[in-house]
Each structure stands twice: as structure tokens, then as C-alpha cells.
Amino acid sequence: MGCGKSSLLKVIIGENKNYTGELRINPQWDIIYVNQQFHFLHCSLKECILSQKGDISLCFAILRKWGCSCSMFERNLEALSHGQKRKVMIACALSRKAHLYLFDEILNYIDLKARVMIEDMMKDSVATILFVEHDTHFI
């Protein structure tokens, strides 16, 4: 709480320049970052996925697995609950291949069923994942 966890993730993606030291990251790496904010979501689900270079079919499949209704896919993201928005952001990220996934408090607003599925997906993944989370069971 307030010790720089989220700031570290932002340093890795180049958003936070207020640090000293050296950070070397291969510039050819594809790094996907899911932050804890989603106030910027003012578009349709399809537009969101495309803007993040995600795979629409895979993203929809992930969301359906997490219990999202098909009617949700037609709505503007502003109309969704915080939990639905969080699921959209995680599904968009997971629908792309990356060298490194950065997740900042991804379990906020997520229901128990989806939390277990996210945990299982992360355990089964061979991807490199760095996350900030306060849920000690998940960690």
C-alpha cells in the first residue's frame, strides 16, 4: 500500500520516468499492461479489442467462459459494471501473445468464479507474468 508496486510496473512500460537506476528491456519485446483503472473505456467491446490488437474471437470466448452474456458484447463499455470492465481488460490482454504480461490489481471487482479461472489460466501459462495483487490466496 503506497510503496511503489504500481509505479514499478509503470517504469517497466516507460510511463513513469521519476526513478533512478537502470532498466534494460529488449525493445522488441511485446509487453502487455493491464492497469487498475478503466475510466478511459468509452467505446464498444469490439473497438476496445481492436485498439489493443487483440483477437476478437479469442477475447469473446474468454469472456463467455467467465460468464459474460452475449448481450454484453453489443453494449458500450461505459454501460458495463466494474467487474465486467475488468474482465474485458483481462480478456483483451490474454487474447494477445506477449513476452511479458503486467497486471495491476487484476482481481478488483472480479467474481469468485472468474477469479478461480484467472488463477488457473495463470498457473497453466508458460508466459512471463508480473502482477501486483493484495489477495494473499491468489499470490
Side-chain angles (χ1 to χ4, degrees):
M1 309 226 184
C3 63
K5 300 175 298 292
S6 297
S7 296
L8 176 61
L9 297 182
K10 290 179 182 176
V11 166
I12 293 170
I13 62 168
E15 274 189 17
N16 184 351
K17 305 290 184 191
N18 297 326
Y19 67 93
T20 58
E22 185 177 345
L23 175 66
R24 292 187 217 170
I25 296 179
N26 186 331
Q28 296 176 339
W29 274 14
D30 189 11
I31 299 174
I32 297 176
Y33 171 63
V34 177
N35 67 27
Q36 49 184 300
Q37 304 296 323
F38 35 76
H39 59 275
F40 58 90
L41 297 175
H42 304 289
C43 57
S44 71
L45 176 57
K46 186 175 179 180
E47 291 168 331
C48 178
I49 297 166
L50 292 174
S51 72
Q52 296 183 41
K53 300 178 182 131
D55 179 309
I56 292 173
S57 297
L58 181 55
C59 188
F60 281 11
I62 292 168
L63 289 169
R64 289 291 298 138
K65 184 175 181 178
W66 290 344
C68 296
S69 68
C70 291
S71 65
M72 185 185 107
F73 300 155
E74 303 301 320
R75 295 170 43 203
N76 190 296
L77 295 181
E78 291 175 304
L80 302 181
S81 71
H82 288 319
Q84 290 170 324
K85 290 176 186 176
R86 174 67 66 206
K87 287 177 183 180
V88 165
M89 297 307 299
I90 298 167
C92 282
L94 295 175
S95 74
R96 294 179 47 201
K97 293 208 182 297
H99 294 93
L100 176 62
Y101 293 89
L102 303 174
F103 295 115
D104 195 356
E105 298 191 27
I106 62 168
L107 297 183
N108 290 354
Y109 308 109
I110 297 291
D111 58 89
L112 183 59
K113 179 181 175 184
R115 288 168 75 111
V116 170
M117 290 181 187
I118 291 168
E119 181 178 340
D120 290 341
M121 288 175 74
M122 291 176 83
K123 285 192 301 188
D124 294 340
S125 175
V126 296
T128 301
I129 302 169
L130 179 60
F131 63 90
V132 170
E133 185 54 57
H134 295 278
D135 184 314
T136 54
H137 176 75
F138 180 81
I139 295 168

